[in-house]
Amino acid sequence: MESFEWLKDLFLTNDSVAHIALLYAIVIAAGVYLGKFKVMGISLGVTFVLFAGIVAGHIGFTAPTPILTFVQDFGLILFVFMIGLQVGPGFFESFGKAGVKLNALATIAIVLNVLVMFACYFIFFDTSNVASLPMMVGTLYGAVTNTPGLGAANEALQSVFPNGAPQIASAYACAYPLGVLGIIGATIIIRYVCKIKLEEEEARLQALDETSANKKPYKMHLEVTNKYLEGKTLLQVHDFLNRDFVVSRIVHNGELSIPNSKTVFYVGDQMLIVCAEADQEAITAFIGPKIDVDFEQQDQPLVSKRILITNSEINGKTLASMHFSSVHGVNVTRVTRHGMDLFASATLPLQVGDRIMVVGPEDAVDRVANKMGNSIRRLNAPNIATIFVGIIMGIIFGSLPFAIPGMPVPLKLGIAGGPLIIAILIGRYGYKIHLVTYTSTSANMMLREIGLVLFLASVGIKAGAGFVKTVVDGDGLLFVLTGFLITIIPILIVGPIARLKYKFNYFTLAGMIAGTYTDPPALAYANSICSKEAPALGYSTVYPLSMFLRIFTAQLIVLFFCG
């Protein structure tokens, strides 16, 4: 038996590095595997790591509290920073015409979540108990399935309860499973309350796709028939028409060439034009009719090539400042970013990771490719310096105290809010200070998931010791009930308003609800009933602001009301 003493020490000596590493490995691996199991087609995913941690903590398989706290906070920083870096590029662009309405509805739902939480607190709980409101905050964030908010609330509680904050992860764990089901269930209820037929919603989306004018690149061949254009330069035509378009190739007197701003138009010229889909009718009406000709098939040395921008010196430069046509003798007709085609407007700033479509003589295109970098290997390595520079800035920003009248302690955005805001700003404007913010989707997801599982495992292990007492002997069932009310009531109020007053498509509405609750299982359900991208569009439109508000309101609630 003595020969197995080393194994006993490995599991029971909780201050050794090997024990701590083994603890986290077991909890995370068990949680991830258990999270793959589905009930009625729904899984809790990586959040099951929290429950695995609770079990480990309950049976005494734990680690020193200071180490658990450090790993928890570092995991939270990494998680929220990578989220901010991902949503940053689209954060401000999400406030378009429909985006403003969707984000306003999402904000109302978030406020209603908080109001329902306070109503449940005063109706069901002992308000004289100082731990009741913090536990309701934990219930709130389990009900809305928002783990970063739990982290932000946990951190704020440390400043309010320096001698030991309530373990709100217990309440979070009670409310979370029914929260996931409640979001999907309430979305289904809206469908029947508003008498929505999925086939009709799908047909409306199809009709919208066919008639809507958007900024996707549109390619067409035209012949110049407008006599007014005779002798006018491309720049003069562009300024007069006041529409963005690119003439990538032109045939004059049977000779094919790459035009530039000084190229002169003549009646009978044929050209290949790329423009925004919304502008194609106006451009056709002004220049001349579409013709059936394919310049690609003509015997000429011109080529089209997609070039990947990997040279950090290009980061942030606009297409106009690169002088592709006048200096390099090529034209850029479109830009692909994060899988989306963008029209190559002169004012569009280029970013590392963009793919540009370049048209011109083969040798000129090759020179541009060398200038842009065009090396996929450069993108395989994440820009680790940018990540940690951003974390430094985020921690400093999050530590700045803001004195607000009526608050017991100054407001600090903390290690959740500070890095999140800085990451959003870096993701959107980092190129202005020469920070290369590109991180491949897989690298971002890997770092984000590592941060999340470290945070969840730590919170679960710390909460495990008192979890059974909280649930069985305490208010566990009340946490489940109130969490369910917090989940569904705001959806059942905001959903019908979005549908009946603002006439949003049901699939967009379902995506908006999932984004408001930052809940991937709800998005997966919405995607499963729709063949279009409407649910994902609704989700991505409100997700950045919702994530920010969830984290920010967590700290406000704790600092204002739990002190």
Side-chain angles (χ1 to χ4, degrees):
M1 293 296 292
E2 292 183 4
S3 60
F4 290 99
E5 196 68 26
W6 62 272
L7 187 60
K8 179 181 177 182
D9 291 340
L10 182 60
F11 278 89
L12 299 181
T13 307
N14 66 11
D15 59 351
S16 73
V17 174
H19 169 86
I20 296 168
L22 183 67
L23 167 64
Y24 275 96
I26 291 175
V27 167
I28 293 171
V32 170
Y33 279 116
L34 289 171
K36 294 181 183 295
F37 288 101
K38 294 183 178 181
V39 178
M40 293 185 293
I42 301 170
S43 70
L44 296 184
V46 74
T47 308
F48 225 106
V49 172
L50 173 69
F51 296 96
I54 288 174
V55 172
H58 176 66
I59 64 175
F61 187 30
T62 185
T65 301
I67 293 177
L68 291 174
T69 301
F70 165 75
V71 176
Q72 168 188 315
D73 291 346
F74 180 74
L76 178 63
I77 291 170
L78 193 59
F79 177 51
V80 298
F81 187 85
M82 297 314 295
I83 284 178
L85 209 58
Q86 180 194 33
V87 304
F91 184 81
F92 299 100
E93 282 73 12
S94 65
F95 299 101
K97 290 182 180 178
V100 168
K101 294 179 182 178
L102 285 173
N103 277 290
L105 290 167
T107 302
I108 292 171
I110 292 169
V111 172
L112 287 173
N113 286 135
V114 175
L115 293 178
V116 174
M117 180 207 74
F118 275 108
C120 291
Y121 166 65
F122 286 112
I123 293 172
F124 296 112
F125 290 87
D126 179 9
T127 57
S128 63
N129 185 350
V130 294
S132 292
L133 186 54
M135 295 302 284
M136 278 305 298
V137 174
T139 305
L140 166 66
Y141 283 94
V144 300
T145 69
N146 187 266
T147 307
L150 171 68
N154 247 330
E155 187 209 351
L157 283 169
Q158 303 305 317
S159 62
V160 177
F161 296 92
N163 296 323
Q167 293 296 328
I168 64 174
S170 300
Y172 174 94
C174 289
Y176 188 95
L178 213 54
V180 174
L181 295 175
I183 296 167
I184 297 174
T187 304
I188 295 173
I189 290 173
I190 291 172
R191 172 181 158 191
Y192 290 100
V193 168
C194 299
K195 300 178 180 178
I196 294 169
K197 295 182 179 179
L198 298 185
E199 299 80 8
E200 293 179 1
E201 298 300 292
E202 189 99 20
R204 289 193 184 99
L205 286 180
Q206 182 65 35
L208 189 63
D209 284 345
E210 293 173 354
T211 59
S212 65
N214 50 48
K215 294 294 286 184
K216 290 182 179 179
Y218 184 86
K219 184 170 70 172
M220 57 186 174
H221 298 86
L222 302 183
E223 180 174 335
V224 179
T225 57
N226 185 353
K227 294 181 180 179
Y228 170 80
L229 302 183
E230 183 82 22
K232 299 293 191 299
T233 66
L234 174 57
L235 180 61
Q236 288 173 321
V237 174
H238 188 280
D239 291 343
F240 183 85
L241 190 54
N242 196 28
R243 307 271 179 155
D244 263 333
F245 64 91
V246 174
V247 181
S248 64
R249 300 173 192 182
I250 189 168
V251 175
H252 176 67
N253 291 334
E255 183 178 339
L256 181 67
S257 63
I258 294 289
N260 57 39
S261 60
K262 297 179 181 179
T263 297
V264 177
F265 279 31
Y266 296 97
V267 172
D269 286 354
Q270 298 177 341
M271 58 190 65
L272 173 60
I273 287 182
V274 181
C275 63
E277 191 172 352
D279 295 333
Q280 57 101 2
E281 288 188 9
I283 294 171
T284 303
F286 184 68
I287 294 178
K290 297 178 183 178
I291 56 175
D292 187 16
V293 63
D294 190 356
F295 296 158
E296 303 282 352
Q297 301 302 318
Q298 298 192 25
D299 184 19
Q300 42 79 26
L302 302 181
V303 297
S304 299
K305 186 175 183 179
R306 284 191 178 274
I307 294 174
L308 181 65
I309 299 177
T310 58
N311 182 357
S312 59
E313 293 181 1
I314 306 300
N315 206 49
K317 292 185 177 181
T318 63
L319 282 167
S321 70
M322 294 300 298
H323 305 293
F324 284 106
S325 177
S326 58
V327 174
H328 301 287
V330 300
N331 278 335
V332 175
T333 59
R334 78 188 68 127
V335 178
T336 304
R337 179 175 299 163
H338 301 305
M340 295 179 60
D341 278 345
L342 307 175
F343 173 64
S345 170
T347 58
L348 180 69
L350 298 172
Q351 296 182 12
V352 171
D354 287 350
R355 292 181 184 271
I356 58 176
M357 176 65 80
V358 178
V359 180
E362 188 170 6
D363 59 340
V365 171
D366 289 340
R367 285 196 298 271
V368 170
N370 290 331
K371 186 176 180 65
M372 298 297 105
N374 202 35
S375 173
I376 189 67
R377 291 180 61 188
R378 291 192 189 181
L379 297 185
N380 287 337
N383 294 289
I384 201 80
T386 296
I387 294 172
F388 282 97
V389 167
I391 288 175
I392 292 169
M393 296 166 62
I395 291 173
I396 293 173
F397 182 62
S399 300
L400 292 175
F402 300 95
I404 298 178
M407 289 186 63
V409 294
L411 172 66
K412 295 181 181 179
L413 295 175
I415 60 172
L420 177 70
I421 292 176
I422 293 297
I424 290 174
L425 294 175
I426 287 178
R428 179 63 180 85
Y429 299 109
Y431 65 86
K432 291 182 180 291
I433 55 175
H434 306 293
L435 284 177
V436 178
T437 59
Y438 176 83
T439 302
S440 67
T441 302
S442 58
N444 183 293
M445 184 66 72
M446 175 64 76
L447 291 172
R448 191 169 72 186
E449 291 294 290
I450 287 174
L452 177 59
V453 296
L454 289 176
F455 169 77
L456 289 173
S458 302
V459 169
I461 295 166
K462 288 170 69 175
F467 181 76
V468 173
K469 188 177 188 305
T470 301
V471 175
V472 178
D473 301 333
D475 298 317
L477 291 178
L478 266 181
F479 294 148
V480 174
L481 170 64
T482 55
F484 187 66
L485 296 176
I486 292 169
T487 300
I488 65 168
I489 290 176
I491 297 176
L492 296 179
I493 293 174
V494 170
I497 292 175
R499 174 63 181 184
L500 301 176
K501 180 174 176 58
Y502 295 107
K503 311 299 181 184
F504 278 110
N505 187 278
Y506 177 71
F507 299 120
T508 302
L509 171 60
M512 182 270 287
I513 292 171
T516 302
Y517 283 71
T518 64
D519 187 55
L523 176 62
Y525 165 75
N527 282 331
S528 71
I529 60 174
C530 179
S531 64
K532 306 291 182 183
E533 296 180 355
L537 183 62
Y539 184 92
S540 61
T541 298
V542 303
Y543 179 89
L545 180 64
S546 297
M547 180 63 78
F548 172 76
L549 289 177
R550 293 292 187 195
I551 292 174
F552 190 61
T553 53
Q555 304 216 20
L556 285 181
I557 294 169
V558 171
L559 295 176
F560 262 115
F561 300 103
C562 295

